[in-house]
Amino acid sequence: MDWKTLQALLSGVNKYSTAFSRIWLSVVFVFRVLVYVVAAERVWGDEQKDFDCNTRQPGCTNVCFDHFFPVSHIRLWALQLIFVTCPSLLVIMHVAYREDRERKNREKNGENCPKLYSNTGKKHGGLWWTYLFSLFFKLVIEIVFLYLLHKMWDSFDLPRLVKCTNVDPCPNTVDCYIARPTEKRIFTYFMVGASSICIVLTVCEIFYLIFKRAVQSVRKWRKSTKRSVSYSKASTCHCHVKSEEKDNKSQPRSVA
């Protein structure tokens, strides 16, 4: 997997992201992708080769391994990283769509024509909703994969001894031993911790965006209220002046 290409694509999101998203991207590439590429792949590289069972029954070792490792940790994390980083590309695609509309508008109406967007990368209108949807999608993906990891391997734990019971073609109960379980357990907890940090950052960014939009809406409402009040006062004063002038004209002039 070419992680450098994915990093180059996602780095463009920083131009349209908040501070929380920039921290999230740093955590993903430093504490997850880098650890995955440098260390995790090597730690899990021998998982099936060194999975020893105390039986010579043909096929029993493979069946026990498949029973305890239905999906490899390393492949599950690779899928998680791909699914988690893909929603950020929606923001880039939406900005590219806006820029294409601006280009077509200039070609059609000339270079001096009014712009469709004051800033194609500014999070307002549809882009704000796209950005918020990408955050919710990332949050759901993180939670789902943590749940799958917890469901498949009880409480993210990797025991030294695995007992295969009533698993054909294994006879009765077979004891199997995982290679380097302590090292794998440490990396598992590390990746789960990094994923939890990303979840917290995503939740904080969602609340930040909603709070910021609410504050902007309240400010706009206050400005519109002040304008309407000032306009009504001005119109009332104007009508009052006119009525006074009319009353003065209607009064009979005194004869000296």
Side-chain angles (χ1 to χ4, degrees), residues 141-194:
I141 291 297
E142 293 277 19
I143 294 174
V144 167
F145 273 90
L146 281 182
Y147 172 76
L148 290 176
L149 194 65
H150 182 274
K151 190 72 174 177
M152 291 180 181
W153 302 279
D154 190 21
S155 300
F156 313 113
D157 192 22
L158 287 173
R160 292 180 173 84
L161 174 64
V162 180
K163 291 183 177 292
C164 290
T165 306
N166 298 325
V167 179
D168 294 331
C170 298
N172 301 322
T173 300
V174 175
D175 295 335
C176 296
Y177 300 91
I178 302 173
R180 294 185 288 183
T182 303
E183 188 176 9
K184 291 178 179 179
R185 188 184 300 115
I186 292 173
F187 273 96
T188 301
Y189 284 134
F190 182 86
M191 296 295 281
V192 170

Side-chain angles (χ1 to χ4, degrees), residues 1 3 31-48 65 68-83 145 149 152-153 158 180 183-184 187-188 190-191:
M1 183 180 295
W3 294 108
F31 295 102
R32 298 177 71 176
V33 174
L34 191 60
V35 171
Y36 175 90
V37 174
V38 174
E41 282 187 317
R42 297 180 182 179
V43 171
W44 266 267
D46 59 351
E47 53 182 337
Q48 187 171 6
F65 180 83
F68 189 72
F69 290 98
V71 180
S72 173
H73 282 66
I74 205 70
R75 293 178 180 86
L76 190 67
W77 287 333
L79 286 175
Q80 183 181 9
L81 290 172
I82 291 172
F83 279 108
F145 273 90
L149 194 65
M152 291 180 181
W153 302 279
L158 287 173
R180 294 185 288 183
E183 188 176 9
K184 291 178 179 179
F187 273 96
T188 301
F190 182 86
M191 296 295 281

Side-chain angles (χ1 to χ4, degrees), residues 15-17 95 98-99 117 119-124 127:
K15 296 186 293 184
Y16 322 112
S17 301
V95 174
R98 284 184 166 189
E99 291 175 350
Y117 307 98
N119 185 358
T120 55
K122 189 175 181 180
K123 293 186 290 295
H124 60 81
L127 184 60

Side-chain angles (χ1 to χ4, degrees), residues 201-218:
L201 290 172
T202 304
V203 172
C204 291
E205 188 172 12
I206 290 173
F207 279 107
Y208 169 75
L209 285 176
I210 296 175
F211 176 77
K212 187 177 179 181
R213 175 56 64 90
V215 170
Q216 290 176 352
S217 300
V218 171

